[in-house]
Amino acid sequence: MILSLLLWSCEGRFNAEDFEEASQNGKLVNEGYNRCIRYVNAWVGYADPASGLIPRNINDSKDYWNAWDAAADNYPFMVLTSSIVMPDFFNGAALKMLETEKKLTSRIGKLPDTYSFSKKGFRNDIIDTSQVIFGSAEYMKDGLIPLTEWLGKSPWSDRMIEILNDLPNLVRVVTRMNGSFYGGSPVVEVNGDLMQVLSRIYWFTGKREYLEWAADIADYYLNDQNLPTISLDRLRIRDHGCEIISGLCEVYLAASYSWPEKRDQWKQYIHKMLNRILETGRNEDGFFYNEVNPVTGEIISEGISDTFGYTFNAYYFVSILDSVPAYREAVLKALSSLNSGYLNFNWESGGCDGYADAIEGALNLYNREPVPSVKEWIDSQTQVMWAYQKPEGLIEGWHGDGNFARTTVMYCLWKSQGLIPDNWNENLTLGATFNDGLLNAAVSCKTGWRGKIRFDTPRWRDEMHMPSDYPRINQFQHWFTVENSRKYKVTFFPSGKMKTLTGRDLADGVPVELKPGEECFITIKQI
């Protein structure tokens, strides 16, 4: 027991159990970040000595870096990890890898292609434009958007925008459709990727041309001929297919705020698509099948989608936008089933990546709907996911290892309520809880520690310039956030020392100094 007595503050009396949970959360944060560090270090050991780029995997694809796997799914989460707990790597090797990737892999303007280490050049002598388009879309959506959601403007957001700006040279092939022009790809997944990227970059930059491009693609689908649930005889409701659902809904959300005429035009089709997927695409517990024929209702693949959360994100924000209770109820039905029938579930043939994606989806929705049984499920299944990691740090030795780190970072941010130390120590524990308007944090380090604890801010508004924090793939959830100009009462225990600080002060960091083995408790409440 951390404390055997009741603590007092100016806000009233509260029990030491609040800090007990925060302290236990800190141990999980410690384990999670140390696991991410081992992951980064392990993959660095497989980097090409000449270029410094990591391979697609350590077995059959160890000779090349590609945009849609190595760049999209693995490298970005080495960057993410290092931005939090490995500053030397972040400012050094991670940035150098980006600079090298731009120099060596840009093939059509700024668009990347696959680079062979042994050839010291492009893997394919002849350009396959479909691969360049797919790689560019995946790199942006799965890799560079998450980094931009976390870092804001950075060299990685610059890389994303230069790829996006050069992409029309390939994908905006003039295709007539009902008298208009369609600026998309023949590949459903690519179009879904692009609509997600374009919607968010519209908010990020404020440039309407990105929204108009996204609307061009949405216009192709949101009609009586090409709606996915009307025109497709195979609809994947898992990754590599479900992107079209989220993409169309994200453009719809953007139009709801910025282009009401388009919202009015598209609304019936968005609802028709979502309704049909609920009718044909779910099992008895409310989870999506991997693949269905939405026209006939035939279940093509009875496997359950590990990326259920990506699609439910769209249902959740459309339920709010358009006041459709059935969409929220669909989300809650699935969430309520997790801890009963989906413990140690065979997601994605039992691979670690299936757990990473399922946990990410659950975390994103739990952030909006804190169903108690979902908390239990996330905690237990994170332990299952962590058990995949080998002692040296690799998980399974392929690009999906990056998603292990992505979801682990999300989990750590939850367990710390977004608090981050300005310098990491492998013995540091930093956990927090938030109840009834009061943040309770616990920090300790058996070897002693001196540094600052930084608090999260509304990144969705301040960095991404979004109109709301709607649930979306590859975001890093907000838990406890501070506002720059507001004041907060900060109390330290066991000293009882109190300070009044602004949100800006908390975001810059609260100084803490710990003796070896000492544990400090902090409460924060907005005044």
Side-chain angles (χ1 to χ4, degrees):
M1 189 70 173
I2 298 172
L3 295 174
S4 59
L5 62 156
L6 296 177
L7 299 175
W8 293 75
S9 81
C10 59
E11 305 300 336
R13 197 170 88 167
F14 54 91
N15 198 283
E17 290 178 0
D18 293 325
F19 286 120
E20 177 71 35
E21 183 180 358
S23 182
Q24 292 303 314
N25 285 347
K27 294 175 183 178
L28 293 168
V29 171
N30 173 271
E31 180 178 357
Y33 282 141
N34 283 333
R35 284 182 177 277
C36 290
I37 291 169
R38 291 202 299 275
Y39 143 79
V40 172
N41 289 334
W43 269 96
V44 168
Y46 288 93
D48 172 49
S51 67
L53 298 178
I54 59 169
R56 179 175 181 265
N57 68 42
I58 65 170
N59 297 309
D60 60 311
S61 305
K62 61 184 177 183
D63 183 53
Y64 64 89
W65 158 290
N66 69 336
W68 62 89
D69 293 323
D73 294 326
N74 203 355
Y75 162 69
F77 304 113
M78 298 172 68
V79 178
L80 172 71
T81 296
S82 65
S83 73
I84 299 171
V85 291
M86 304 173 71
D88 291 341
F89 183 91
F90 177 71
N91 294 309
L95 189 58
K96 185 176 181 181
M97 213 178 293
L98 177 69
E99 294 166 351
T100 301
E101 177 269 310
K102 289 170 59 176
K103 178 181 178 182
L104 297 181
T105 77
S106 296
R107 193 166 196 182
I108 302 176
K110 301 296 184 181
L111 306 182
D113 203 358
T114 303
Y115 180 83
S116 166
F117 305 144
S118 60
K119 291 176 67 175
K120 299 188 185 305
F122 294 111
R123 187 167 182 245
N124 300 319
D125 295 330
I126 299 174
I127 298 175
D128 183 338
T129 56
S130 65
Q131 284 194 3
V132 174
I133 292 169
F134 179 63
S136 298
E138 286 282 288
Y139 187 15
M140 289 188 293
K141 191 265 289 181
D142 283 333
L144 297 172
I145 274 286
L147 290 177
T148 302
E149 291 254 358
W150 178 249
L151 298 171
K153 182 171 173 49
S154 74
W156 290 273
S157 67
D158 293 341
R159 177 63 171 141
M160 175 172 56
I161 290 172
E162 69 182 19
I163 291 173
L164 190 61
N165 288 343
D166 275 1
L167 201 54
N169 296 330
L170 290 186
V171 300
R172 273 192 155 172
V173 178
V174 179
T175 304
R176 288 196 174 274
M177 194 274 299
N178 296 331
S180 63
F181 295 103
Y182 162 47
S185 161
V187 181
V188 166
E189 180 182 2
V190 170
N191 289 331
D193 287 349
L194 288 177
M195 285 188 286
Q196 292 178 60
V197 171
L198 289 164
S199 298
R200 296 189 215 178
I201 294 307
Y202 162 63
W203 297 120
F204 185 63
T205 64
K207 294 183 178 179
R208 192 172 178 85
E209 64 220 51
Y210 295 125
L211 178 59
E212 291 173 349
W213 181 3
D216 284 346
I217 302 173
D219 276 336
Y220 176 80
Y221 289 101
L222 296 176
N223 55 67
D224 289 323
Q225 288 75 45
N226 296 319
L227 192 69
T229 48
I230 292 174
S231 62
L232 299 178
D233 59 6
R234 303 182 73 99
L235 176 65
R236 286 173 65 94
I237 321 178
R238 57 157 296 154
D239 51 346
H240 308 301
C242 70
E243 294 83 1
I244 193 67
I245 304 166
S246 299
L248 287 168
C249 290
E250 282 209 48
V251 180
Y252 178 66
L253 180 142
S256 296
Y257 287 97
S258 301
W259 203 341
E261 298 85 0
K262 283 295 181 185
R263 177 187 181 175
D264 292 342
Q265 174 189 334
W266 293 338
K267 183 176 180 179
Q268 64 170 312
Y269 297 107
I270 289 289
H271 288 206
K272 184 180 292 187
M273 176 181 70
L274 295 180
N275 291 343
R276 185 59 178 163
I277 292 170
L278 289 184
E279 291 170 1
T280 63
R282 295 185 298 166
N283 72 357
E284 64 276 9
D285 296 321
F287 287 98
F288 298 113
Y289 294 112
N290 282 335
E291 191 170 13
V292 300
N293 181 330
V295 179
T296 66
E298 175 193 358
I299 301 166
I300 297 172
S301 171
E302 292 187 349
I304 303 304
S305 171
D306 59 306
T307 56
F308 61 86
Y310 302 167
T311 302
F312 274 133
N313 286 339
Y315 278 90
Y316 194 81
F317 66 67
V318 174
S319 77
I320 296 171
L321 276 176
D322 293 343
S323 300
V324 186
Y327 295 165
R328 176 175 176 264
E329 290 164 8
V331 173
L332 292 174
K333 177 179 175 64
L335 289 179
S336 298
S337 301
L338 275 172
N339 206 40
S340 55
Y342 297 85
L343 290 167
N344 304 329
F345 190 70
N346 187 29
W347 304 109
E348 202 171 358
S349 302
C352 182
D353 186 55
Y355 280 95
D357 289 346
I359 294 166
E360 177 198 359
L363 258 174
N364 220 24
L365 296 167
Y366 176 81
N367 180 260
R368 278 81 181 181
E369 295 285 348
V371 179
S373 63
V374 176
K375 177 180 184 295
E376 297 172 13
W377 184 86
I378 294 171
D379 280 331
S380 69
Q381 300 311 283
T382 297
Q383 293 297 317
V384 175
M385 180 182 74
W386 283 354
Y388 279 87
Q389 188 172 32
K390 298 173 178 64
E392 75 277 10
L394 287 180
I395 294 85
E396 293 175 324
W398 64 298
H399 56 275
D401 283 10
N403 291 335
F404 171 97
R406 173 208 65 199
T407 299
T408 295
V409 168
M410 290 181 181
Y411 183 77
C412 291
L413 291 172
W414 172 39
K415 292 299 180 180
S416 68
Q417 291 293 302
L419 275 60
I420 290 178
D422 71 342
N423 67 89
W424 182 251
N425 181 307
E426 65 178 0
N427 297 305
L428 183 68
T429 70
L430 172 59
T433 63
F434 183 73
N435 296 302
D436 299 325
L438 190 68
L439 183 84
N440 301 290
V443 57
S444 69
C445 185
K446 66 181 181 182
T447 55
W449 183 77
R450 183 177 183 179
K452 291 183 177 181
I453 297 173
R454 293 174 175 157
F455 289 67
D456 200 7
T457 58
R459 290 170 278 110
W460 62 271
R461 184 194 66 203
D462 298 345
E463 300 292 345
M464 295 299 294
H465 314 300
M466 291 176 168
S468 66
D469 184 23
Y470 64 94
R472 55 203 179 274
I473 184 177
N474 291 334
Q475 72 167 121
F476 294 94
Q477 299 82 19
H478 296 80
W479 300 97
F480 180 82
T481 59
V482 296
E483 297 284 351
N484 284 347
S485 60
R486 291 182 178 171
K487 293 184 178 181
Y488 299 81
K489 183 161 289 185
V490 183
T491 309
F492 297 84
F493 296 95
S495 69
K497 183 178 180 181
M498 289 187 292
K499 293 182 178 180
T500 298
L501 300 175
T502 65
R504 182 69 265 165
D505 295 331
L506 295 174
D508 290 340
V510 176
V512 174
E513 185 169 358
L514 299 170
K515 297 176 182 177
E518 181 183 9
E519 187 161 30
C520 175
F521 308 103
I522 310 169
T523 64
I524 298 92
K525 187 175 180 65
Q526 182 180 318
I527 300 174

